Amino acid sequence: MSTLFQPFATQLDFETGKLNPKGKVIIRHLSDMKGMYLDEGEFENQLKKNPLIYEVYNVVVPETMPHIQHCVTILHPGKVGKEYFMTKGHYHEVLDRAEIYFCLKGKGELLMQTKDGEFSSLEMVPGTVAYVAPEWAHRTVNTGEEPFVFFAAYPGDAGHDYGGIETEGFVKALVEQNDKPTYIENPRYIQAVK
Amino acid sequence: MSTLFQPFATQLDFETGKLNPKGKVIIRHLSDMKGMYLDEGEFENQLKKNPLIYEVYNVVVPETMPHIQHCVTILHPGKVGKEYFMTKGHYHEVLDRAEIYFCLKGKGELLMQTKDGEFSSLEMVPGTVAYVAPEWAHRTVNTGEEPFVFFAAYPGDAGHDYGGIETEGFVKALVEQNDKPTYIENPRYIQAVK
């Protein structure tokens, strides 16, 4: 056998969205998202139960350019006050790296923004293949009643920059108004210092 | 609006495997695969009807590194003699670029080989996420009775080298023996000159 990296397979369960083997698992509860939801009183209130917000199952490959990182995210349904459960969101550490989000189950919205404060969003339903273009931060929001499951792929060397988005916040927030997902300006948003 | 590449979405139909919008379409009939099947008599015989072997729907993004190429392939069921319908197969033009194959429907085998003549294969059923490691040529074979549909993602700058595989052929061929898919040595295989 050569010294080359060897091919392998992972099995995704379309019912649960989980991978076998599980790979590198990231689990985020509400307590991992301090300062990210608009309604701080409701945030504190829900912390007692500290609900599971999302799970990410990452297939493990080297974080270098010849490779393709890939993972599946299960974003659970729920709200903090009027604001839907969401992921933290991030830029790529190597900023100009794209990503694909392929919705397998449930429904949601993909929120994206640039360091210049440009904002864009895409609706995701099963079969939607969303293209997060290079340089766009990305966050997903579950606007449905069941888990929102999507598969993602991105260049091996992209990395994650969560800190930028923690400082800035997202330009817009997604809340329920009149029983419908509605975008509102995020009063806490601060444009990135370039 | 900035001059940045903008996000967008494509819709995949899980029933047919087709994309909307279709993107860049590649259609391969039997006549596009001269010299690739073992049974030349049967190849010539089937050329009269010239069956559709596979279709690839490519989402169009720039072929540069910040980007992620992605496409869906519909590989139809059938055989040329005892040998199952298959794709041409290719190395990446930038050899050390990985690829993900994510099976959505049907079943098949993924054949891979290196320039050194090392061979590997993976079974693919719905939910299988196969990792084509950097430097491995890859070909898919439909071993089922219905279309074998899979989604693929790979680095934007990878490119395709079909010529190498046309000259070498694959180390092994997949044929039906006693009603089962069986690997046999390919008598026409010639190891690559490095």
Side-chain angles (χ1 to χ4, degrees), chain B residues 33-46:
Chain B
M33 300 183 73
K34 198 163 168 55
M36 292 192 166
Y37 288 91
L38 294 175
D39 187 334
E40 293 191 344
E42 191 55 30
F43 181 87
E44 291 298 326
N45 196 33
Q46 287 200 32

Side-chain angles (χ1 to χ4, degrees), chain A residues 44-56:
Chain A
E44 290 299 325
N45 196 35
Q46 288 201 30
L47 268 188
K48 294 161 204 159
K49 289 194 174 169
N50 199 18
L52 171 62
I53 311 288
Y54 62 103
E55 309 162 61
V56 186

Side-chain angles (χ1 to χ4, degrees), chain A residues 45-46 68-69 89 95 98 115 135-136 141 146 158 173 177 184 186-188:
Chain A
N45 196 35
Q46 288 201 30
I68 292 276
Q69 300 293 330
L95 188 62
K115 299 259 184 193
E135 303 197 26
W136 292 78
V141 177
E146 60 170 328
Q177 282 185 355
I184 60 168
N186 176 6
R188 293 204 212 135

Side-chain angles (χ1 to χ4, degrees), chain A residues 10 24 41 43-44 61 76 81 123 130 132 150 175-177 182 191:
Chain A
T10 304
K24 184 184 155 205
F43 180 86
E44 290 299 325
V61 297
H76 292 279
E123 190 186 1
V132 179
F150 57 92
V175 298
E176 189 183 68
Q177 282 185 355
T182 307
Q191 191 175 318

Side-chain angles (χ1 to χ4, degrees), chain A residues 15-52:
Chain A
E15 276 310 301
T16 63
K18 293 190 180 177
L19 296 180
N20 183 14
K22 281 184 185 178
K24 184 184 155 205
V25 184
I26 296 170
I27 303 283
R28 306 262 195 227
H29 289 87
L30 190 63
S31 57
D32 297 311
M33 300 183 72
K34 199 163 166 54
M36 292 192 164
Y37 288 89
L38 293 176
D39 188 335
E40 293 191 345
E42 191 55 31
F43 180 86
E44 290 299 325
N45 196 35
Q46 288 201 30
L47 268 188
K48 294 161 204 159
K49 289 194 174 169
N50 199 18
L52 171 62

Side-chain angles (χ1 to χ4, degrees), chain B residues 176-192:
Chain B
E176 188 182 68
Q177 282 184 356
N178 304 319
D179 294 327
K180 278 195 298 200
T182 307
Y183 281 103
I184 60 169
E185 299 299 314
N186 176 6
R188 294 203 211 136
Y189 168 68
I190 302 159
Q191 192 175 318

Side-chain angles (χ1 to χ4, degrees), chain A residues 12-14 16-19 53-58 70-76 85-90 99-111 124-130 132 138-142 147-154, chain B residues 14 102:
Chain A
L12 187 149
D13 181 328
F14 284 112
T16 63
K18 293 190 180 177
L19 296 180
I53 311 288
Y54 62 103
E55 309 162 61
V56 186
Y57 296 83
N58 293 278
H70 49 303
C71 60
V72 64
T73 300
I74 304 169
L75 175 51
H76 292 279
F85 280 7
M86 59 191 182
T87 61
K88 290 176 105 169
H90 61 270
E99 183 156 353
I100 293 162
Y101 273 7
F102 178 11
C103 178
L104 302 175
K105 209 171 172 184
K107 66 174 183 173
E109 289 273 322
L110 170 58
L111 281 62
M124 295 187 72
V125 295
T128 304
V129 182
V132 179
H138 34 294
R139 158 179 284 174
T140 44
V141 177
N142 186 342
F148 169 33
V149 179
F150 57 92
F151 178 83
Y154 53 100
Chain B
F14 283 112
F102 179 10

